[in-house]
Amino acid sequence: MPVLVMKFGGTSVANLDRIRRAAKRVGVEVAKGYDVIVIVSAMSGKTNELVGWVEETSPLFDAREYDAVVSSGENVTAGLMALTLQEMDVPARSWQGWQVPLKTTSAHSAARIVEIPTENISQKFAEGMRVAVVAGFQGISPEGRITTLGRGGSDTTAVAFAAAFGAERCDIYTDVDGVYTTDPRICDKARKLDKIAFEEMLELASLGAKVLQTRSVELAMRYGVKLRVLSSFEEQSDKAGTLVCAEEDIMESNVVNGVAYSRDEAKLTLLSVADRPGIAATIFTALSEAGVNVDMIVQNISEEGRTDMTFSCPTNEVARAEAALDRIKQDGHLNYAELVADTDVAKVSVVGIGMRSQSGVAAKMFKVLSDEGINIKVITTSEIKISVLIDRKYMELAVQSLHDAFELDKAA
Ligand code: ADP
Ligand code: ASP
Ligand code: MG
């Protein structure tokens, strides 16, 4: 029988009533003749609560134990979803990551999926089970420890299962009815897209649009998974939501197709480091070994052999970054005058495949920000995106004015 993957995010399984509503949707697809693999998130708010408990217990926590704790939210919803389906007379069984086993790397809290053996679940389908409910976000390392795939990782579990089982489609049910030109929660002119190209979705996700985890889009692109984002609160229909698809399948497109933001950014500057070969390597090796995810990097023009080095990372990694840089200073590997942290910044980005062939987007973006009196602290660009770091208090204003200026409320 054809296989369908249906993933339900936190708000779609937030309580027993919502789980029942999600289960009914699954029942409809089973009745159409699909064997369904359901991927569930933890109930909304649960993972944040678990992360909070870990951080309160141990600020520079052991990542293996972090994973042991934060993966547990999904275990509850997987079992409850299987029970709910059974109550509806749909033959269903739950799986935790290690039972599949969903094999990952040992990069705790940011593990990558290595392999999903299909035998266990396929065998059960062959015996008459109709729904496999799998706990999203979690797997097992080569050392046999529980791992997690990074925040939002259930999306990646879903796409990886769709690829492994050759599913006809991977439906991501969430609390919005598709992918929008920007986050509809902060811009009421945001427009829902019927289709979005993999490349654009990949950029939007990696720049902060949390509607899909970046890695899930990467996998869908690589394995040609038919990926759809839709609401679990609206009427069920085969045409609903947004289809994430190949660029060739989209006829018309704006130059800029989306605006993304990332709220919890921090900017750190090392004042007066030596300007010579090896210094950047020393700094960023230490940061990487401390598990700091560095994003933007800027090095100033040097004066008298010394320069300033600025980089950005998530706010909750600032303490780790400071500790790592202090350590290499104490050890005599790096000399700097001061480390200045600005933890009140946000990143705002515009994204569009059309930028490959059209110039002037950066100039327009900077003009819009300057008209609003917003100062740009750091800029980075790639082929299809431009990002700036600005004061966090201007983030929403920046998103809304860019959305207006690039006329994203109008279709191409
Ligand atoms: P889930 O719990 O279902 O995984 P998430 O909270 O992870 O849901 O992702 C859905 C949220 O993503 C939406 O509620 C919305 O606020 C946010 N979002 C950010 N950017 C976008 C965008 N461009 N289109 C749609 N939603 C977006
Ligand atoms: N529950 C996890 C999180 O909140 C994984 C997910 O929902 O995708 O990040
Ligand atoms: Mg999510």
Side-chain angles (χ1 to χ4, degrees), residues 7 9-11 173-176 178-180 182-185 209-211:
K7 179 255 173 178
T11 41
Y173 285 90
T174 183
D175 56 358
V176 283
V179 178
Y180 281 69
T182 192
D183 188 348
R185 289 186 205 291
K210 67 172 185 162
V211 61

Side-chain angles (χ1 to χ4, degrees), residues 158-343:
V159 173
F161 268 86
F165 282 82
E168 197 172 293
R169 212 173 54 232
C170 179
D171 284 343
I172 306 284
Y173 285 90
T174 183
D175 56 358
V176 283
D177 60 348
V179 178
Y180 281 69
T181 48
T182 192
D183 188 348
R185 289 186 205 291
I186 75 161
C187 178
D188 49 18
K189 287 194 197 155
R191 177 173 52 90
K192 198 199 94 179
L193 300 162
D194 291 331
K195 289 182 176 178
I196 183 165
F198 282 124
E199 287 85 349
E200 282 177 340
M201 191 63 241
L202 197 57
E203 285 286 4
L204 285 176
S206 72
L207 294 167
K210 67 172 185 162
V211 61
L212 286 175
Q213 197 195 33
T214 310
R215 184 87 183 117
S216 72
V217 188
E218 251 168 47
L219 285 183
M221 193 162 143
R222 165 136 37 106
Y223 293 100
V225 171
K226 206 167 160 195
L227 181 61
R228 189 166 69 137
V229 176
L230 68 172
S231 161
S232 62
F233 301 100
E234 301 207 341
E235 216 167 294
Q236 206 157 355
S237 136
D238 281 346
K239 295 212 167 50
T242 300
L243 193 66
V244 189
C245 58
E247 202 177 326
E248 302 81 76
D249 298 333
I250 298 175
M251 300 292 280
E252 294 290 339
S253 178
N254 289 318
V255 179
V256 169
N257 248 334
V259 181
Y261 64 86
S262 165
R263 191 187 303 271
D264 296 313
E265 299 283 325
K267 171 173 150 288
L268 285 89
T269 303
L270 284 160
L271 292 175
S272 186
V273 291
D275 185 11
R276 60 172 166 76
I279 289 293
T282 305
I283 295 171
F284 294 104
T285 303
L287 290 170
S288 136
E289 282 170 1
V292 178
N293 289 291
V294 172
D295 178 19
M296 301 165 148
I297 300 176
V298 187
Q299 183 181 332
N300 284 11
I301 299 283
S302 72
E303 265 179 57
E304 292 165 12
R306 301 202 76 81
T307 185
D308 299 337
M309 187 79 84
T310 297
F311 64 91
S312 68
C313 71
T315 344
N316 62 1
E317 292 175 10
V318 170
R320 276 177 197 273
E322 287 174 334
L325 294 169
D326 189 50
R327 208 172 310 124
I328 52 173
K329 188 176 186 181
Q330 301 301 332
D331 293 348
H333 297 308
L334 179 76
N335 188 12
Y336 56 87
E338 205 183 331
L339 173 59
V340 186
D342 179 354
T343 50

Side-chain angles (χ1 to χ4, degrees), residues 200 253-259 348-370 376 379-388 401-403 405-408:
E200 282 177 340
S253 178
N254 289 318
V255 179
V256 169
N257 248 334
V259 181
V348 174
S349 314
V350 298
V351 172
I353 285 173
M355 277 186 220
R356 282 188 200 134
S357 53
Q358 192 154 333
S359 59
V361 176
K364 183 164 172 178
M365 177 181 192
F366 302 156
K367 173 83 169 61
V368 171
L369 296 174
S370 96
I376 301 171
I379 302 168
T380 52
T381 63
S382 78
E383 206 186 9
I384 65 162
K385 73 116 200 274
I386 302 162
S387 300
V388 295
S401 8
L402 290 167
H403 197 274
F406 286 101
E407 300 188 358
L408 293 189

Side-chain angles (χ1 to χ4, degrees), residues 6-47:
M6 302 172 78
K7 179 255 173 178
F8 293 93
T11 41
S12 310
V13 293
N15 53 47
L16 298 186
D17 190 46
R18 298 249 174 102
I19 292 178
R20 257 179 244 120
R21 280 163 60 173
K24 274 197 198 132
R25 283 181 185 267
V26 176
V28 170
E29 303 295 354
V30 169
K32 283 187 200 161
Y34 288 107
D35 279 342
V36 181
I37 299 176
V38 172
I39 310 293
V40 285
S41 285
M43 291 178 175
S44 62
K46 191 70 209 172
T47 310

